[in-house]
PDB file of all heavy atoms in Angstrom:
ATOM      1  N   GLY A 448     131.718  94.485 125.478  1.00 97.00           N
ATOM      2  CA  GLY A 448     130.801  95.339 126.226  1.00 97.00           C
ATOM      3  C   GLY A 448     129.516  95.589 125.478  1.00 97.00           C
ATOM      4  O   GLY A 448     129.241  94.980 124.450  1.00 97.00           O
ATOM      5  N   LYS A 449     128.755  96.536 126.008  1.00 98.00           N
ATOM      6  CA  LYS A 449     127.447  96.868 125.443  1.00 98.00           C
ATOM      7  C   LYS A 449     127.592  98.017 124.449  1.00 98.00           C
ATOM      8  O   LYS A 449     128.294  98.993 124.716  1.00 98.00           O
ATOM      9  CB  LYS A 449     126.481  97.266 126.554  1.00 98.00           C
ATOM     10  CG  LYS A 449     125.037  97.449 126.069  1.00 98.00           C
ATOM     11  CD  LYS A 449     124.103  97.890 127.176  1.00 98.00           C
ATOM     12  CE  LYS A 449     123.801  96.750 128.104  1.00 98.00           C
ATOM     13  NZ  LYS A 449     122.743  97.082 129.081  1.00 98.00           N
ATOM     14  N   TYR A 450     126.913  97.883 123.320  1.00 98.00           N
ATOM     15  CA  TYR A 450     126.910  98.885 122.265  1.00 98.00           C
ATOM     16  C   TYR A 450     125.468  99.209 121.879  1.00 98.00           C
ATOM     17  O   TYR A 450     124.565  98.427 122.144  1.00 98.00           O
ATOM     18  CB  TYR A 450     127.666  98.377 121.022  1.00 98.00           C
ATOM     19  CG  TYR A 450     129.147  98.239 121.250  1.00 98.00           C
ATOM     20  CD1 TYR A 450     129.670  97.149 121.922  1.00 98.00           C
ATOM     21  CD2 TYR A 450     130.023  99.216 120.787  1.00 98.00           C
ATOM     22  CE1 TYR A 450     131.035  97.026 122.138  1.00 98.00           C
ATOM     23  CE2 TYR A 450     131.390  99.107 120.993  1.00 98.00           C
ATOM     24  CZ  TYR A 450     131.893  98.005 121.670  1.00 98.00           C
ATOM     25  OH  TYR A 450     133.239  97.890 121.887  1.00 98.00           O
ATOM     26  N   ARG A 451     125.281 100.366 121.263  1.00 98.00           N
ATOM     27  CA  ARG A 451     123.958 100.755 120.757  1.00 98.00           C
ATOM     28  C   ARG A 451     124.063 100.952 119.252  1.00 98.00           C
ATOM     29  O   ARG A 451     124.972 101.630 118.776  1.00 98.00           O
ATOM     30  CB  ARG A 451     123.462 102.036 121.415  1.00 98.00           C
ATOM     31  CG  ARG A 451     122.128 102.540 120.825  1.00 98.00           C
ATOM     32  CD  ARG A 451     121.471 103.620 121.647  1.00 98.00           C
ATOM     33  NE  ARG A 451     121.123 103.172 122.978  1.00 98.00           N
ATOM     34  CZ  ARG A 451     120.056 102.415 123.281  1.00 98.00           C
ATOM     35  NH1 ARG A 451     119.250 102.008 122.339  1.00 98.00           N
ATOM     36  NH2 ARG A 451     119.823 102.072 124.526  1.00 98.00           N
ATOM     37  N   ILE A 452     123.112 100.357 118.525  1.00 98.00           N
ATOM     38  CA  ILE A 452     123.012 100.541 117.083  1.00 98.00           C
ATOM     39  C   ILE A 452     121.736 101.337 116.812  1.00 98.00           C
ATOM     40  O   ILE A 452     120.696 101.066 117.413  1.00 98.00           O
ATOM     41  CB  ILE A 452     123.040  99.186 116.338  1.00 98.00           C
ATOM     42  CG1 ILE A 452     123.121  99.405 114.823  1.00 98.00           C
ATOM     43  CG2 ILE A 452     121.880  98.287 116.749  1.00 98.00           C
ATOM     44  CD1 ILE A 452     123.488  98.133 114.056  1.00 98.00           C
ATOM     45  N   LYS A 453     121.842 102.349 115.947  1.00 98.00           N
ATOM     46  CA  LYS A 453     120.705 103.224 115.676  1.00 98.00           C
ATOM     47  C   LYS A 453     120.591 103.454 114.180  1.00 98.00           C
ATOM     48  O   LYS A 453     121.588 103.758 113.517  1.00 98.00           O
ATOM     49  CB  LYS A 453     120.878 104.554 116.401  1.00 98.00           C
ATOM     50  CG  LYS A 453     119.777 105.571 116.123  1.00 98.00           C
ATOM     51  CD  LYS A 453     119.883 106.809 117.001  1.00 98.00           C
ATOM     52  CE  LYS A 453     120.951 107.743 116.528  1.00 98.00           C
ATOM     53  NZ  LYS A 453     120.960 109.042 117.230  1.00 98.00           N
ATOM     54  N   ILE A 454     119.375 103.300 113.663  1.00 98.00           N
ATOM     55  CA  ILE A 454     119.100 103.593 112.259  1.00 98.00           C
ATOM     56  C   ILE A 454     118.044 104.686 112.191  1.00 98.00           C
ATOM     57  O   ILE A 454     117.027 104.620 112.878  1.00 98.00           O
ATOM     58  CB  ILE A 454     118.612 102.349 111.486  1.00 98.00           C
ATOM     59  CG1 ILE A 454     119.755 101.355 111.305  1.00 98.00           C
ATOM     60  CG2 ILE A 454     118.025 102.751 110.132  1.00 98.00           C
ATOM     61  CD1 ILE A 454     119.384 100.102 110.525  1.00 98.00           C
ATOM     62  N   THR A 455     118.320 105.677 111.355  1.00 97.00           N
ATOM     63  CA  THR A 455     117.316 106.686 111.017  1.00 97.00           C
ATOM     64  C   THR A 455     117.041 106.525 109.534  1.00 97.00           C
ATOM     65  O   THR A 455     117.975 106.515 108.720  1.00 97.00           O
ATOM     66  CB  THR A 455     117.810 108.107 111.326  1.00 97.00           C
ATOM     67  OG1 THR A 455     118.125 108.202 112.713  1.00 97.00           O
ATOM     68  CG2 THR A 455     116.742 109.141 110.985  1.00 97.00           C
ATOM     69  N   ILE A 456     115.766 106.364 109.199  1.00 97.00           N
ATOM     70  CA  ILE A 456     115.365 106.208 107.806  1.00 97.00           C
ATOM     71  C   ILE A 456     114.527 107.422 107.420  1.00 97.00           C
ATOM     72  O   ILE A 456     113.704 107.879 108.211  1.00 97.00           O
ATOM     73  CB  ILE A 456     114.655 104.857 107.576  1.00 97.00           C
ATOM     74  CG1 ILE A 456     114.538 104.559 106.097  1.00 97.00           C
ATOM     75  CG2 ILE A 456     113.348 104.777 108.309  1.00 97.00           C
ATOM     76  CD1 ILE A 456     114.372 103.081 105.791  1.00 97.00           C
TER      77      ILE A 456
END
Side-chain angles (χ1 to χ4, degrees):
K449 188 182 286 188
Y450 291 79
R451 175 167 298 282
I452 187 166
K453 177 172 77 172
I454 289 181
T455 301
I456 193 157

